[in-house]
């Protein structure tokens, strides 16, 4: 079942329900802000004080950072512009009783060209089932190549940040954006202070263990993963977040970021894909 819905202020989203899962996806940013599996409940954190207003990024769910991650392209806003642009809802298909696929698109326009002077066709294909598959396809429609950094900036909801163990990044090269130092990760990850690291050369499946719940993240088309939690002080400074919210999530962002940028030639398509099991 698929319904088009609108908040009182006119902010539009799609609601999807099938016999395995349900999801809510805003047209702004093709932003998944709820995804509930029948068996496990809600997978993503969503701030109770998040804005749902055009031009303001939703705090939680899965923001799509594109065509720049962070300030990798210093000429663009933080995390690019796609997360605050209205996507077109292109199609949906109920593949079977437990699986629904939706396609969203964003094309260049006078507004995007004024920010980033390239012609492109962006497609976001999301498959909602007891697994969640997200695929972002970037087609270069320009006559010149462009450099892309991007991410699915997933905010995973956790019982408490002190309960989580993230596996799969052991021995990977890592850039700590807080200390500006390059290191190699040693062992599994737990979080007990502000954490903001970019892991490179990631070719393994990641596992997020939270008490008795396990989430598996499988990435294709990218080899960087950003792990972020703002902890106490930064959380207080963040917009659209309450003081203790840092306890409720960990961001594990499947990315092409920093050294893992991609160069997309005219007529080429680049694909970022993540499967969450
Ligand atoms: C993460 C960055 O990807 O996004 C953090 O590593 C940043 O440094 C966070 O604070 C949130 O960014 P924003 O733009 O959504 O507030």
């Amino acid at each position: 079942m698929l319904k088009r819905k609108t908040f009182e202020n006119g902010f539009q989203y799609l609601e999807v329900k099938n016999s395995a899962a349900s999801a809510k996806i805003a047209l702004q940013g093709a932003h998944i802000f709820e995804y509930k599996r029948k068996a496990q409940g809600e997978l993503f954190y969503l701030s109770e004080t998040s804005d749902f207003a055009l031009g303001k990024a939703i705090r939680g769910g899965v923001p799509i950072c594109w065509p720049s991650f962070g300030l990798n392209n210093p000429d663009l806003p933080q995390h690019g512009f796609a997360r605050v642009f209205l996507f077109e809802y292109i199609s949906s298909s109920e593949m079977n009783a437990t699986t629904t696929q939706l396609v969203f698109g964003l094309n260049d326009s006078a507004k995007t060209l004024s920010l980033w002077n390239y012609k492109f066709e962006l497609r976001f294909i999301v498959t909602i089932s007891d697994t969640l598959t997200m695929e972002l396809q970037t087609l270069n429609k320009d006559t010149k190549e462009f450099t892309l950094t991007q991410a699915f900036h997933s905010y995973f909801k956790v019982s408490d940040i002190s309960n989580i163990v993230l596996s799969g990044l052991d021995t990977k090269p890592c850039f700590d954006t807080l200390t500006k130092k390059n290191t190699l990760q040693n062992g599994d990850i737990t979080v007990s202070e502000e954490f903001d690291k970019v892991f490179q050369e990631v070719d393994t499946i990641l596992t997020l263990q939270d008490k008795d719940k396990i989430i598996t993240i499988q990435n294709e088309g990218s080899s960087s993963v950003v792990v972020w939690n703002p902890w106490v002080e930064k959380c207080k400074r963040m917009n659209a977040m309450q003081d203790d919210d840092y306890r409720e999530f960990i961001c594990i962002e499947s990315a092409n970021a920093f050294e893992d940028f991609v160069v997309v030639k005219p007529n080429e398509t680049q694909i970022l894909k993540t499967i969450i099991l």
Side-chain angles (χ1 to χ4, degrees):
M1 188 213 68
L2 178 73
K3 280 189 185 161
R4 281 189 93 126
K5 294 201 160 178
T6 309
F7 290 124
E8 273 179 8
N9 64 357
F11 193 90
Q12 290 183 11
Y13 66 96
L14 293 171
E15 186 176 57
V16 182
K17 280 185 187 161
N18 57 42
S19 52
S22 64
K24 291 182 183 169
I25 306 165
L27 288 185
Q28 175 176 280
H31 192 137
I32 300 168
F33 61 93
E34 271 188 33
Y35 166 63
K36 287 184 185 149
R37 294 168 171 168
K38 284 266 156 73
Q40 271 179 325
E42 181 59 56
L43 196 79
F44 297 120
Y45 158 85
L46 175 66
S47 168
E48 281 179 20
T49 54
S50 178
D51 291 303
F52 282 91
L54 286 181
K56 291 189 175 175
I58 296 170
R59 180 66 72 199
V62 188
I64 294 177
C65 305
W66 189 96
S68 172
F69 177 81
L71 292 173
N72 283 181
N73 180 342
D75 298 331
L76 287 175
Q78 157 101 339
H79 292 326
F81 53 78
R83 63 177 175 167
V84 291
F85 269 62
L86 269 186
F87 279 58
E88 179 195 356
Y89 159 56
I90 295 176
S91 64
S92 70
S93 127
E94 295 195 344
M95 302 169 91
N96 55 50
T98 58
T99 312
T100 312
Q101 188 169 77
L102 278 79
V103 182
F104 297 87
L106 179 71
N107 292 346
D108 59 85
S109 62
K111 216 166 142 194
T112 68
L113 289 165
S114 71
L115 288 164
W116 193 60
N117 194 19
Y118 299 99
K119 292 181 180 159
F120 65 85
E121 192 177 277
L122 185 64
R123 291 286 175 271
F124 178 56
I125 301 161
V126 55
T127 310
I128 295 145
S129 189
D130 52 358
T131 58
L132 179 70
T133 304
M134 300 182 283
E135 183 169 324
L136 192 62
Q137 302 178 345
T138 302
L139 168 63
N140 182 344
K141 292 190 77 180
D142 212 288
T143 51
K144 48 193 188 294
E145 64 181 34
F146 55 69
T147 299
L148 185 66
T149 52
Q150 56 184 347
F152 294 127
H153 191 307
S154 308
Y155 284 79
F156 290 95
K157 182 184 171 82
V158 299
S159 59
D160 188 275
I161 189 70
S162 62
N163 293 332
I164 67 109
V165 179
L166 176 61
S167 314
L169 295 169
D170 186 24
T171 72
K172 300 300 175 197
C174 151
F175 176 67
D176 187 328
T177 61
L178 301 172
T179 61
K180 310 282 180 227
K181 283 192 179 142
N182 285 298
T183 51
L184 288 181
Q185 174 61 27
N186 182 9
D188 289 343
I189 291 172
T190 55
V191 179
S192 55
E193 59 187 343
E194 185 178 354
F195 197 102
D196 200 343
K197 293 184 183 177
V198 187
F199 297 87
Q200 301 287 7
E201 299 172 26
V202 181
D203 51 3
T204 40
I205 289 174
L206 308 183
T207 307
L208 176 64
Q209 170 105 39
D210 175 14
K211 281 183 156 174
D212 45 5
K213 187 165 89 174
I214 294 181
I215 291 163
T216 305
I217 304 162
Q218 195 178 316
N219 296 322
E220 291 172 26
S222 72
S223 62
S224 44
V225 170
V226 181
V227 180
W228 173 62
N229 181 285
W231 210 251
V232 181
E233 292 308 322
K234 185 165 176 178
C235 189
K236 285 185 188 156
R237 297 195 303 270
M238 302 281 306
N239 64 328
M241 211 181 255
Q242 298 180 89
D243 286 1
D244 286 336
D245 279 15
Y246 72 93
R247 302 215 73 92
E248 296 179 21
F249 71 88
I250 175 104
C251 283
I252 305 169
E253 308 163 33
S254 307
N256 292 107
F258 292 80
E259 303 308 313
D260 182 32
F261 62 84
V262 278
V263 176
V264 189
K265 294 205 163 66
N267 296 316
E268 267 184 14
T269 299
Q270 200 279 339
I271 297 177
L272 173 69
K273 186 170 173 181
T274 294
I275 305 167
I276 301 171
L277 302 112

